[in-house]
Every structure is written in structure tokens, then in C-alpha cells.
Amino acid sequence: MQGDGVYKSSDAGKTWKHLGLADTHAISRIRVHPSNPDVVYVAALGHPYGRNTERGVFRSTDGGANWKRVLFRDDHSGAVDLSMDAANPRVLFASLWDAYRTPWSLSSGGPSSGLFKSSDGGDSWTEITRAPGMPKGIIGKITVAVSPADSHRVYALVEADDGGLFQSNDAGATWVLVNADRSIRQRAFYFSRITADPRNRDTVYAMNVEMYRSDDGGKSLHLMRTPHADHHDLWIATNDPLRIAASDDGGGSVSVDGGKTWTRQNYPTAQLYHVATTAESPYHVCGAQQDDGTTCVPSDRALNLREPGAEAGEWMYPAGGGEAGYVAADPSDPNIFYGGDQAGIITRYDRRTGATRSVTVYPLF
């Protein structure tokens, strides 16, 4: 399922108002002017499975009441990243990605992919895709980050045969490849994010299957030990670079010591593929989670996931199967569950005994 546009909350998330851009479907970034919250930028990829024109970079100057598209190439490339200069919010870097998907294929890269810079708040853009030092061949996904510590230092992670992590020390005019390690640019369609440290221009984080930190401008990478794999983004507190929050396929984790230790991933942030219910009262809600197997929760608990005094693990339980399948409860016995997974695997789980066994249609062993 794709999204239906932009929402805004003016009461710290208690209530939300829809602000349009419904046909963008996939929104990659939202950037807000640090001193004028009425100025907002949205980077929209558009329809992942087809062509449409509501894609690119949009700007609002009235808090989202109205939007103007300020960067657009064509109906099959959309904006996949947007970085704002902390020292001068009128300076923006945006990347367009020429990509589309079908249920059986992925096309990543093409002539419409590119990197752009604006120095006037988005009124005009200069393409810097082929600036000196950048890759020469077909370009795929690009992610970009301006260092809050030095506006001249810009990082770009470029999907290309001769791609990798590029560094600029003149605000994007010229570039140098500092790291071509595949560990930070594999499966670019799914990962490929970078975050620059707010205090040190040489510290940059790269998100991929694993998360890496570099303290020498990207030349060398330090593997960070996190609670879960498949990292998609990282937030760093501007007033304390040791306070960071990571998002990955397991949910969210917070560290207050620069990534040495992390909180447990026991927040209600699971991504459920499918949902099923049991025939009991209160009924239990079950589903297959992205990268984390199946889970069930009593409905009376699910309605109040913030209930104090109890860990979520005390009343949530797995139901067999795995992340990519369905969960089905026996309508005559709510203690019996059947769960699917990759490769056609099917399991039978008995909640009373905790026993799981394979009931896959064909023999695997």
C-alpha cells in the first residue's frame, strides 16, 4: 500500500490534518525551514509501479496549505532525497531517481536520475550530476547530506558501476570518490542513506544492511553494533551528537552514547504484512512482521499499547511461520495457528504447549 500525501500535526502528534499531495504515493523526505516553519519542502518519488506527474520536489510557503512543484524532470523519475544546509536554509541538494517496480521486477537507474542544487530556496536548480569527480556511467539512486558543521562539505552516496561514497569540499562543485565498499551501497533500492554529524564534518554515518560510521570523511568505515539489521535512516540530536535514533527493519532504537549501547526494540512500531484474528473473547490480533517473524496480541491490549507497568513481551507472543507469510488461527480452536514463510514453508503452532512443527505441503528434508 502506498501513502496518500502529507499530514501535519500542530499538537505534538495528537491529531493530524491532511495537506494534499495525495497522488505522490511515496514521499522520501520532508524538510522544514529552521526559523520559518511555514516554509516546507517535500521530496516525492511518485508512483513506484507506474508513471505519474505528481512527483519531484514541492514547496509550501504557508505551512502546507498550498504546494508548488519546484523540481521536476519527467513522469518516471522522482525525488528520493533532499538535504538542507543548516547554515543557509536556502541552499538545498536534491536527488532524482529514475526507477520503477512491478511485482516481478525492478528498474533502478537511467538518464533521468541526477543530483541538483538550489541556492535560492528552490526557485531555481542547477544539475551537478556530472560535476567533476562524479561517476560517468548510468546513475541510479543518489542520497545526499550537507554537513551541518561545514556547509562546504557535502556527501553523496551514488548507485553506479563506478559509484560509492563521494565527498565535496566546495559545496558540490567538485567531488572525489572516498569509498567504493559494497557494504554501504548494496541493494541501493532498499537501503542507501547517509547522515552527517552536526558537530564534526569528518563524521558521517552510512545505513545499509549494517550501519557504519566514519570519522575520516568516509575513507574508512567502522561497523556499529545495533539491535537489528537492515538500516534505513538515522537521526542525530543537533545539540548532542551522542544522542542518536536509528530506524531499521526491527523498528526503532535510541542510543545516548554514540552507538555503544542501544535501547531495546520494544516499541509498537512493527510493520505488519497481513492481519488475522482468533475466535475468542477478547480476540487476539496476529500478523507477520517485516524481518521479525509473526506476533499476536490480545485485542484489549492492542487498543492501549502504551499501558504502563508491563513489558510488551509479557503479553505478545509468536505464532509460528515467518515474516513473509500469512497467519491463520483455527476457527474451532484459538490455540492452534498456521503460519507461512518464504519458500512455501507452513508451520503449525500450539499456543498451549509452545510447540511448533512443519506441515509444509512438500518435503524439504
Side-chain angles (χ1 to χ4, degrees):
M1 173 179 283
Q2 304 301 325
D4 66 344
V6 177
Y7 289 79
K8 176 182 179 180
S9 175
S10 299
D11 53 11
K14 295 179 181 178
T15 60
W16 294 85
K17 179 182 179 181
H18 188 257
L19 299 180
L21 299 183
D23 206 36
T24 55
H25 277 203
I27 291 176
S28 59
R29 290 294 194 195
I30 298 176
R31 301 297 188 191
V32 182
H33 193 289
S35 59
N36 183 3
D38 284 336
V39 177
V40 185
Y41 299 88
V42 167
L45 181 64
H47 291 201
Y49 287 84
R51 298 184 177 223
N52 78 311
T53 56
E54 195 164 356
R55 53 174 67 206
V57 177
F58 296 82
R59 180 183 64 194
S60 175
T61 57
D62 53 13
N66 296 281
W67 298 94
K68 178 182 178 181
R69 192 177 62 190
V70 293
L71 178 62
F72 174 79
R73 175 97 87 178
D74 50 42
D75 64 359
H76 56 87
S77 62
V80 73
D81 206 2
L82 182 64
S83 183
M84 178 183 287
D85 185 348
N88 182 2
R90 290 179 60 79
V91 175
L92 302 163
F93 288 83
S95 59
L96 298 184
W97 186 23
D98 193 343
Y100 71 89
R101 294 204 70 165
T102 68
W104 59 88
S105 70
L106 166 72
S107 174
S108 177
S112 295
S113 292
L115 184 61
F116 297 79
K117 178 183 178 181
S118 175
S119 299
D120 52 16
D123 289 336
S124 62
W125 296 82
T126 300
E127 184 168 3
I128 56 175
T129 314
R130 304 299 182 182
M134 290 291 269
K136 303 296 184 183
I138 297 175
I139 301 296
K141 183 179 179 182
I142 302 174
T143 54
V144 60
V146 187
S147 170
D150 181 355
S151 299
H152 293 94
R153 173 65 61 84
V154 187
Y155 295 97
L157 190 54
V158 184
E159 179 191 14
D161 286 342
D162 51 347
L165 181 62
F166 290 79
Q167 180 195 110
S168 174
N169 288 299
D170 50 18
T174 62
W175 300 80
V176 59
L177 175 64
V178 292
N179 202 308
D181 195 322
R182 284 285 175 182
S183 62
I184 60 172
R185 59 190 184 107
Q186 60 180 309
R187 300 184 72 202
F189 78 95
Y190 192 62
F191 303 110
S192 195
R193 286 293 186 195
I194 49 176
T195 303
D197 186 276
R199 299 285 184 87
N200 187 340
R201 73 171 196 164
D202 288 325
T203 298
V204 61
Y205 296 82
M207 276 62 71
N208 208 282
V209 176
E210 305 292 348
M211 185 162 69
Y212 298 87
R213 170 176 170 154
S214 175
D215 292 307
D216 56 8
K219 297 176 183 177
S220 60
L221 301 171
H222 169 66
L223 176 64
M224 301 183 69
R225 300 297 180 183
T226 56
H228 201 280
D230 294 353
H231 303 84
H232 295 282
D233 218 339
L234 181 72
W235 172 85
I236 308 175
T238 56
N239 62 344
D240 181 8
L242 295 179
R243 188 160 56 95
I244 60 180
S247 63
D248 54 50
D249 278 7
S253 301
V254 177
S255 175
V256 295
D257 54 14
K260 295 178 182 178
T261 60
W262 298 85
T263 58
R264 293 174 56 194
Q265 292 188 319
N266 58 352
Y267 310 109
T269 56
Q271 306 171 62
L272 296 180
Y273 287 115
H274 313 286
V275 173
T277 59
T278 61
E280 58 188 315
S281 181
Y283 61 87
H284 291 199
V285 181
C286 303
Q289 305 175 95
Q290 162 67 23
D291 240 23
D292 261 345
T294 58
T295 188
C296 294
V297 56
S299 58
D300 56 342
R301 295 279 190 168
L303 294 174
N304 188 12
L305 289 174
R306 294 183 178 180
E307 180 180 346
E311 289 286 338
E314 295 179 4
W315 38 268
M316 298 178 71
Y317 59 91
E323 66 159 328
Y326 289 83
V327 178
D330 189 326
S332 61
D333 185 350
N335 292 298
I336 302 300
F337 298 86
Y338 296 90
D341 203 352
Q342 285 102 339
I345 295 174
I346 302 175
T347 65
R348 180 185 186 275
Y349 171 72
D350 189 329
R351 187 172 63 187
R352 289 165 298 207
T353 64
T356 302
R357 64 184 177 89
S358 175
V359 292
T360 303
V361 175
Y362 55 90
L364 294 176
F365 308 103

